[in-house]
Amino acid sequence: MRLLVTGGAGFIGANFVQLTVAERPDTTVTVLDALTYAGNRASLDPVADRIDFVHGDIADLDLVDELVSGVDAVVHFAAESHNDNSLAEPWPFVQTNIVGTYSLLQAVRRHDVRYHHVSTDEVYGDLAPQDPPFSEHTAYNPSSPYSATKAASDMLVRAWVRSFGLRATLSNCSNNYGPYQHVEKFIPRQITNLIEGVRPRLYGAGHQIRDWIHVEDHNRAVWDVLDRGRIGRTYLIGADSELDNRTVVELLLAEFGREPDDFDHVTDRAGHDQRYAIDAGPLREELGWAPRYADFRAGLSATVAWYREHESWWRPVKAATERAYTDAGERTISLP
Ligand SMILES: NC(=O)c1ccc[n+]([C@@H]2O[C@H](COP(=O)([O-])OP(=O)(O)OC[C@H]3O[C@@H](n4cnc5c(N)ncnc54)[C@H](O)[C@@H]3O)[C@@H](O)[C@H]2O)c1
């Protein structure tokens, strides 16, 4: 199979490309990535001589058309992905997540190429503590410019399936963690702070609940959907690992031998979603998927080890990322 992977220099895309090269020798991979601040060529170093890398924008219709004409399938990871950035400046989210997806859809439609669309559970908004988890029947109710633009892109895909017979599938996954995640994101930010001897920084009281999944489990599910998913169908991906943010910080502090209250509370994100949770029943039952990192603590320990061993990967952007949080007005707070 000849595969085009968009956003392959980002967190999940790079892990997907590495997994594909390692386990699917019959697949040839071309990565299309704009190398925004979130993309990093070094994340593809281990497979650099086994893939083709194209530096370009998914919204470039001519480039995308040319690349899509030469492949059998597209897996679309490229996105603006950070909620905080979407609150500060929404336009790149509209441009990449909506216009960029449109550009890909037109090309796969023209060349009748199989398409898989990678999306997020954040399109469903958030849940109260007692609500049942999200399923593919949950109504879309996005809260932030990030999740709204992802929701819009999902709708484009569904419409292209219905109107133009596109051979497409979608997946909506919960929060990922693992190697190669940018240090702006919650778990790597705390890990790299701890490696530097800085106290973790928790938004508000830390009661927000996320349903964590290891990035490798996400990517194996994407392959299952690509291989055996039903065209037009949406699959929810999650590993039944609901934890609140404070508990995650306490687990990380324990990994570093620090006291459980050795962290700072900082100003919360505006409109911060309370809880996400996924019902991945259809993925497990129809496609036989199951997470290999079923134990979140073990996956977290492995992730801490990776960041300890790959300081040269994250160190160059750490200070600037922390400065951006300070410039955006983040400050420590005391809770009543
Ligand atoms: N991270 C999560 O927890 C999570 C959970 C569920 C779904 N998702 C989805 O998975 C996908 C990948 O997320 P991620 O965390 O790896 O994101 P990321 O921000 O780490 O990587 C995004 C990549 O896309 C590239 N990119 C951005 N704009 C581009 C453009 N216009 N043209 C080409 N490339 C461009 C960036 O350079 C980067 O390499 C996204 O679609 C996201 O919505 C992420």
Side-chain angles (χ1 to χ4, degrees), residues 177 214 255 293-304:
Y177 70 97
H214 194 277
E255 280 284 327
Y293 287 88
D295 177 359
F296 175 75
R297 286 165 179 74
L300 197 63
S301 290
T303 305
V304 169

Side-chain angles (χ1 to χ4, degrees), residues 111-259:
H111 299 288
D112 188 24
V113 163
R114 174 82 169 86
Y115 173 83
H116 181 71
H117 185 75
V118 177
S119 191
T120 164
D121 63 351
E122 298 191 29
V123 298
Y124 299 115
D126 62 355
L127 297 166
Q130 303 311 321
D131 286 342
F134 302 131
S135 76
E136 69 266 36
H137 306 297
T138 306
Y140 275 37
N141 187 24
S143 315
S144 72
Y146 164 62
S147 52
T149 55
K150 291 297 292 185
S153 71
D154 292 8
M155 292 302 169
L156 292 182
V157 180
R158 291 177 180 200
W160 262 241
V161 170
R162 174 86 184 255
S163 302
F164 307 121
L166 207 75
R167 292 186 293 126
T169 42
L170 301 91
S171 56
N172 295 77
C173 188
S174 59
N175 283 60
N176 285 221
Y177 70 97
Y180 298 106
Q181 187 169 28
H182 195 285
V183 293
E184 70 185 355
K185 299 284 169 48
F186 175 59
I187 287 181
R189 185 180 184 202
Q190 312 308 336
I191 293 174
T192 51
N193 276 352
L194 282 161
I195 291 173
E196 291 193 316
V198 174
R199 282 156 71 94
R201 298 170 76 75
L202 188 64
Y203 280 166
H207 293 325
Q208 295 87 3
I209 295 170
R210 301 292 177 256
D211 192 352
W212 292 100
I213 183 171
H214 194 277
V215 63
E216 184 184 319
D217 286 327
H218 178 185
N219 284 330
R220 289 187 188 284
V222 168
W223 263 115
D224 286 342
V225 175
L226 204 55
D227 283 338
R228 302 188 300 283
R230 271 195 285 138
I231 296 302
R233 182 107 158 61
T234 292
Y235 293 87
L236 268 64
I237 306 173
D240 294 333
S241 200
E242 280 188 64
L243 287 172
D244 71 19
N245 289 345
R246 183 175 176 140
T247 304
V248 174
V249 163
E250 288 170 355
L251 288 171
L252 286 170
L253 285 162
E255 280 284 327
F256 283 82
R258 306 258 293 256
E259 293 300 315

Side-chain angles (χ1 to χ4, degrees), residues 50-95:
R50 313 254 316 261
I51 63 167
D52 288 322
F53 183 87
V54 179
H55 182 195
D57 190 331
I58 55 166
D60 180 339
L61 286 159
D62 293 336
L63 174 65
V64 165
D65 190 77
E66 184 195 326
L67 292 173
V68 168
S69 72
V71 298
D72 304 303
V74 173
V75 182
H76 176 33
F77 290 98
E80 286 291 338
S81 71
H82 192 36
N83 263 309
D84 290 334
N85 291 347
S86 83
L87 297 167
E89 180 47 74
W91 170 246
F93 290 74
V94 172
Q95 171 65 18

